[in-house]
Amino acid sequence: CPVTPSIMAAAPKKRAFAEDVGEKGDSREDEGEEGDSGEEMYSGSGDSDRSDMDVAQEVQVDFEARTACDSDFHGIKRLLGQLFLKSHVNLSELTDIILSQNYIGCVIKQGEIPEDSDSDDGEEEIFGFITVINITDRKDKPCLQAVKALVLDRCKECAAQNTYEEFSHILENDRHRVGFLMFERFINLPTQLALPSYESLNKDLQQAQIMEMQYTFDYILMISKTYTEIKTKGGKKGKKSSQPQDHREEIHFSNAEEEFFHQEAQTTFSYPVIEESDSGFSGNWRSDDSTTKPFRTVMLIPNGKMVEIRKKMEEYLSV
Amino acid sequence: MAVRVQFENSNEVGVFAKLTNVYCLVCIGGSENFYSIFESELSDVVPVVHTTIAGCRIIGRMTVGNRHGLLVPATTDDQELQHIRNSLPDSVKIQRIEERLSALGNVITCNDYVALVHPDLDRETEEILADVLKVEVFRQTVSDNVLVGSYAALSNRGGLVHPKTSIEDQDELSSLLQVPLVAGTVNRGSDVVGAGMVVNDWIAFTGMDTTSTELSVIESVFKLSDSPQSAIQSAMRDSLIDSMT
């Protein structure tokens, strides 16, 4: 069961999600946790199969959302690396931008373990982070220009002409404020984390909007990690990686909640990343698994649709 | 001098390259930017060889070498071995060795005179090291880390070790290795200094994230800076700075 190695005490308690702790700020009261501003408690658990005979056992893990700080640099950069793979985007610069606006979004860390078996010297692993960057207003940053260039270049190669024109029109035109939404996490983290994370992001954005205009967006840009399955039974082979993704072929999302974004998106396209991934194929963890081919799906979602998406997330993801 | 470089968005230069005073090995990468930076700095002086080891790109961690020789793991292809043999100067002896701890770059660190090895390394490997690389071999840990190749970067003029290495450990290692040592980081706080950089007697390559402070420490311990050090750094240092433990 590929979950984090630290296991909480065996009693499987069902914790309530995202205890709403009001505004994040220096004056908020912590729940006995020292030194962290802006925390909410999440609890993740797998399926309800509790049988001890089952090899894949359930593990109860607590996650916490914290404000990003400088020591999280390497963790955030690593997570960005899994999205961008070998593209020419300066991830250090992008990470610095994320840290400079750490009041938007959060990083996901493990909850405090009462008995600190291996004392971490202040460096905790980051399991995920969520944030939105305004790429229209910050277009002087080379890494954001690189992101835009990456999207447009791939779009030109892999998508229809009118898709490219639409992307080009929205991204190049300064009148549309585009926010680049990133929610990166380790691949096996449960989807239950998504809803509280997005709610938290929303709150942060609303607060920031009161202060500064640059956090209201017309469009949201999102690059998702997706894959298609190659059916190994019956000798059917998957498409060659050099061909663009066919809309008929089923796209699976590594972060399941991103499928809602896909449904509400104004335009989307996918490009293959099989050459950039370290292993040619993934999957096949169990004998009945199929192998998969990795893609990146780029989506532009009009800001108005975010309400719809949130509704769907609440409907499907609430515990 | 010290140069910042990046391999396909990774800062771990010591994983993808191996640098000595008479040759340099670089792995085959998607975009050739990495290779071209090494070439532009080194090609007039030493051969820069493009290769993989056992089909893997992590050649810096799989191999160990100095001016006298190069040791490669048993998994190296015949073709790769032949290519390396053809490309390196004749003075460099190349040997493929059978060793359980096959990531030689992680378990051994050496310069042209001494080598530090993992405490569990085979006796036979130790002998081959002494023979092919012409070094004196010491079984030691670096601040309790057995992967000496990962946590220490060594040249003939100095060494950089894991930041948590105590002063006593540093003194002990320094007297074994007969070079000045400093405990520090590379690549903006990474403690895996052996994998984060490569160095020889006149140049060092580190990742893009390396801060200017880290670079100045590297330049001073490995004696890479072009300008002679000012009096404040050498003669006056003792009177100005008290020891901090």
Side-chain angles (χ1 to χ4, degrees):
Chain A
C1 183
V3 195
T4 65
S6 305
I7 303 171
M8 291 283 286
K13 295 177 282 186
K14 272 265 184 178
R15 291 264 195 92
F17 272 111
E19 292 165 32
D20 197 335
V21 235
E23 71 290 350
K24 283 189 209 170
D26 292 338
S27 55
R28 66 174 291 299
E29 39 187 353
D30 298 341
E31 299 161 76
E33 311 286 358
E34 328 98 59
D36 306 309
S37 55
E39 269 182 40
E40 285 150 37
M41 294 287 285
Y42 307 150
S43 169
S45 62
D47 297 320
S48 48
D49 184 1
R50 302 279 162 88
S51 156
D52 284 338
M53 309 288 263
D54 195 8
V55 175
Q57 285 183 347
E58 181 189 321
V59 174
Q60 191 82 4
V61 185
D62 279 337
F63 292 109
E64 276 178 9
R66 307 241 186 99
T67 314
C69 58
D70 283 337
S71 58
D72 299 328
F73 177 86
H74 290 289
I76 295 177
K77 189 175 171 189
R78 195 182 312 132
L79 288 167
L80 285 173
Q82 77 179 28
L83 177 65
F84 285 105
L85 295 170
K86 293 174 190 167
S87 53
H88 296 299
V89 178
N90 186 341
L91 299 177
S92 304
E93 209 190 322
L94 192 54
T95 311
D96 282 332
I97 294 175
I98 295 174
L99 289 173
S100 72
Q101 50 166 70
N102 63 352
Y103 46 88
I104 299 288
C106 59
V107 291
I108 298 171
K109 290 188 182 170
Q110 203 177 341
E112 293 283 326
I113 313 167
E115 352 87 54
D116 247 346
S117 42
D118 43 302
S119 59
D120 37 2
D121 26 357
E123 287 184 35
E124 291 160 355
E125 185 94 44
I126 299 193
F127 293 99
F129 72 90
I130 185 169
T131 190
V132 187
I133 298 183
N134 186 330
I135 59 176
T136 312
D137 287 348
R138 287 194 198 247
K139 58 180 187 291
D140 54 307
K141 303 275 183 189
C143 62
L144 294 175
Q145 287 165 10
V147 170
K148 219 190 275 187
L150 171 73
V151 168
L152 291 173
D153 286 344
R154 292 283 180 273
C155 192
K156 209 172 197 176
E157 285 168 15
C158 305
Q161 181 62 18
N162 52 349
T163 312
Y164 173 67
E165 276 165 17
E166 218 177 326
F167 266 96
S168 187
H169 170 69
I170 294 172
L171 291 177
E172 303 280 20
N173 188 343
D174 281 354
R175 277 187 305 142
H176 302 119
R177 270 220 188 79
V178 182
F180 180 29
L181 173 62
M182 286 175 281
F183 184 11
E184 282 307 310
R185 54 186 196 260
F186 282 167
I187 195 165
N188 288 318
L189 255 52
T191 322
Q192 288 126 327
L193 283 173
L195 184 57
S197 305
Y198 276 105
E199 281 175 356
S200 145
L201 179 69
N202 238 351
K203 258 188 245 141
D204 291 340
L205 283 173
Q206 279 165 6
Q207 253 203 317
Q209 280 161 18
I210 300 171
M211 317 283 216
E212 301 158 62
M213 274 305 290
Q214 65 160 321
Y215 291 107
T216 35
F217 302 110
D218 300 313
Y219 288 95
I220 301 286
L221 172 71
M222 196 164 195
I223 304 180
S224 282
K225 302 186 290 295
T226 58
Y227 55 93
T228 58
E229 284 186 349
I230 302 158
K231 300 190 183 7
T232 46
K233 295 191 184 144
K236 274 196 215 166
K237 295 240 168 79
K239 292 205 159 154
K240 284 210 198 91
S241 57
S242 53
Q243 289 175 9
Q245 164 98 71
D246 192 351
H247 288 297
R248 292 186 306 258
E249 215 169 50
E250 212 192 321
I251 310 175
H252 299 271
F253 284 81
S254 294
N255 295 347
E257 77 279 359
E258 288 172 4
E259 196 165 345
F260 300 136
F261 288 86
H262 192 212
Q263 288 162 359
E264 300 293 337
Q266 180 168 319
T267 30
T268 109
F269 73 94
S270 299
Y271 64 90
V273 290
I274 197 164
E275 293 90 31
E276 294 181 25
S277 308
D278 284 331
S279 54
F281 296 85
S282 49
N284 259 342
W285 291 116
R286 296 198 291 240
S287 54
D288 49 351
D289 269 357
S290 49
T291 47
T292 59
K293 272 186 346 187
F295 285 83
R296 292 289 177 268
T297 300
V298 186
M299 304 176 271
L300 266 179
I301 304 117
N303 199 34
K305 299 281 189 168
M306 294 299 284
V307 184
E308 279 294 311
I309 295 173
R310 206 172 318 139
K311 277 204 206 112
K312 283 189 189 172
M313 280 206 278
E314 277 169 15
E315 192 185 325
Y316 286 99
L317 298 178
S318 291
V319 178
Chain B
M1 55 174 233
V3 179
R4 288 188 183 100
V5 75
Q6 204 167 42
F7 177 78
E8 287 179 358
N9 267 335
S10 166
N11 285 300
E12 307 299 322
V13 181
V15 171
F16 301 104
K18 176 62 76 181
L19 179 65
T20 67
N21 289 323
V22 298
Y23 60 86
C24 178
L25 300 179
V26 182
C27 77
I28 297 171
S31 74
E32 294 302 310
N33 287 342
F34 190 65
Y35 183 54
S36 64
I37 293 182
F38 276 85
E39 271 245 289
S40 66
E41 298 291 340
L42 297 172
S43 63
D44 352 331
V45 193
V46 295
V48 181
V49 183
H50 221 188
T51 184
T52 55
I53 296 283
C56 299
R57 298 175 308 172
I58 51 169
I59 61 173
R61 305 291 88 210
M62 304 280 272
T63 61
V64 65
N66 61 13
R67 71 162 61 239
H68 305 293
L70 175 70
L71 296 182
V72 297
T75 44
T76 314
D77 284 346
D78 292 330
Q79 222 177 357
E80 290 162 349
L81 193 56
Q82 194 59 44
H83 171 62
I84 297 173
R85 250 191 246 277
N86 292 340
S87 319
L88 293 188
D90 293 331
S91 60
V92 180
K93 283 167 64 179
I94 303 164
Q95 177 120 352
R96 185 161 51 184
I97 63 176
E98 295 276 338
E99 162 62 62
R100 184 182 61 94
L101 301 170
S102 55
L104 301 174
N106 281 338
V107 295
I108 302 168
T109 182
C110 70
N111 59 16
D112 294 335
Y113 306 100
V114 291
L116 273 186
V117 301
H118 188 297
D120 294 339
L121 202 73
D122 282 349
R123 206 125 273 294
E124 215 176 293
T125 308
E126 200 181 314
E127 285 166 14
I128 297 176
L129 260 177
D131 184 44
V132 174
L133 298 187
K134 302 196 189 1
V135 288
E136 206 179 335
V137 181
F138 298 105
R139 283 171 190 267
Q140 262 279 30
T141 60
V142 172
S143 82
D144 296 332
N145 281 309
V146 290
L147 295 178
V148 292
S150 305
Y151 290 102
L154 195 56
S155 84
N156 292 331
R157 308 174 79 182
L160 180 68
V161 292
H162 184 283
K164 300 260 165 66
T165 313
S166 64
I167 301 284
E168 296 86 36
D169 277 348
Q170 281 178 49
D171 286 341
E172 196 184 333
L173 282 171
S174 185
S175 66
L176 277 181
L177 302 174
Q178 293 295 302
V179 291
L181 290 184
V182 82
T185 63
V186 78
N187 294 332
R188 193 164 168 167
S190 165
D191 44 10
V192 195
V193 293
M197 62 178 285
V198 289
V199 62
N200 68 9
D201 286 352
W202 70 86
I203 194 169
F205 295 91
T206 68
M208 279 295 185
D209 278 345
T210 311
T211 63
S212 42
T213 317
E214 291 170 336
L215 268 187
S216 68
V217 169
I218 288 169
E219 286 193 346
S220 88
V221 76
F222 290 109
K223 308 211 181 13
L224 301 172
S225 40
D226 298 326
S227 53
Q229 288 186 326
S230 62
I232 203 168
Q233 284 178 296
S234 42
M236 292 167 70
R237 190 193 178 91
D238 284 332
S239 50
L240 291 172
I241 303 174
D242 210 343
S243 142
M244 291 176 280
T245 335

